Amino acid sequence: MTLLVAAIAATVAALLETTITQYLRVGDAQPHLVFVLAVVSTVAAGLDAGLVWAFVGGIALDTLGPRPLGATAFALLIAVGATNLLARSLVRLRPIVAIIATALLSLVYSMTLVFLFSVLRPPQALTDPLRLLVPSVVYDVLAAVLIGPLLVSIHDRLTDEERAPR
């Protein structure tokens, strides 16, 4: 995946997250499409593609929604960096690393956003943020279960065919 394709796809994912995913809510749970795809692209295509996904997707989410500029990009960059460390240490489990990383880092991503929003905006009364965030974490993991292994396998198959001598 070239970096330009990653930037365009991250922008499209941010558009989808701000427009369509609000209709995919289940209770308080809403999927974080840019986060899940940034984690999957980091596992599949490497750190460079993941950083592009995180930065471009985060800036797009911040400009499309009422968020402080750079807050989402910062939270996504932290998640992508941790995903890269996890992907390097679990090379043999590569098809399911995206699921593991999403399960571990979705709450970190959401709590980072809650912290940044509380610092950069007027304070809001959040009595129990975990009660609000855990359903979205489960939704993100389910999205990673559906998308992650498929995209990693497709990427691996395409890169293996390109490397094979003809």
Side-chain angles (χ1 to χ4, degrees), residues 2-154:
T2 66
L3 299 180
L4 180 63
V5 171
I8 293 170
T11 305
V12 170
L15 281 169
L16 290 175
E17 185 171 330
T18 56
T19 57
I20 294 175
T21 58
Q22 63 185 347
Y23 298 110
L24 300 175
R25 283 182 172 233
V26 176
D28 290 334
Q30 180 175 342
H32 300 110
L33 189 61
V34 175
F35 166 74
V36 172
L37 290 173
V39 167
V40 170
S41 69
T42 302
V43 173
L47 182 62
D48 292 341
L51 290 175
V52 168
W53 264 95
F55 185 73
V56 173
I59 295 294
L61 281 173
D62 289 340
T63 56
L64 292 171
R67 301 176 178 190
L69 188 63
T72 307
F74 178 73
L76 284 169
L77 288 170
I78 290 173
V80 163
T83 300
N84 187 49
L85 291 174
L86 195 62
R88 283 183 167 185
S89 63
L90 299 174
V91 175
R92 292 183 183 255
L93 301 174
R94 191 177 144 105
I96 61 169
V97 167
I99 300 168
I100 296 168
T102 303
L104 294 175
L105 297 173
S106 182
L107 188 61
V108 172
Y109 166 71
S110 296
M111 288 302 290
T112 304
L113 282 177
V114 166
F115 174 74
L116 289 173
F117 290 167
S118 68
V119 169
L120 298 173
R121 284 184 170 174
Q124 297 175 354
L126 281 178
T127 57
D128 189 15
L130 286 179
R131 186 182 59 80
L132 295 174
L133 298 177
V134 169
S136 293
V137 170
V138 173
Y139 209 143
D140 291 343
V141 171
L142 289 176
V145 166
L146 295 174
I147 298 170
L150 178 67
L151 291 181
V152 170
S153 298
I154 289 171

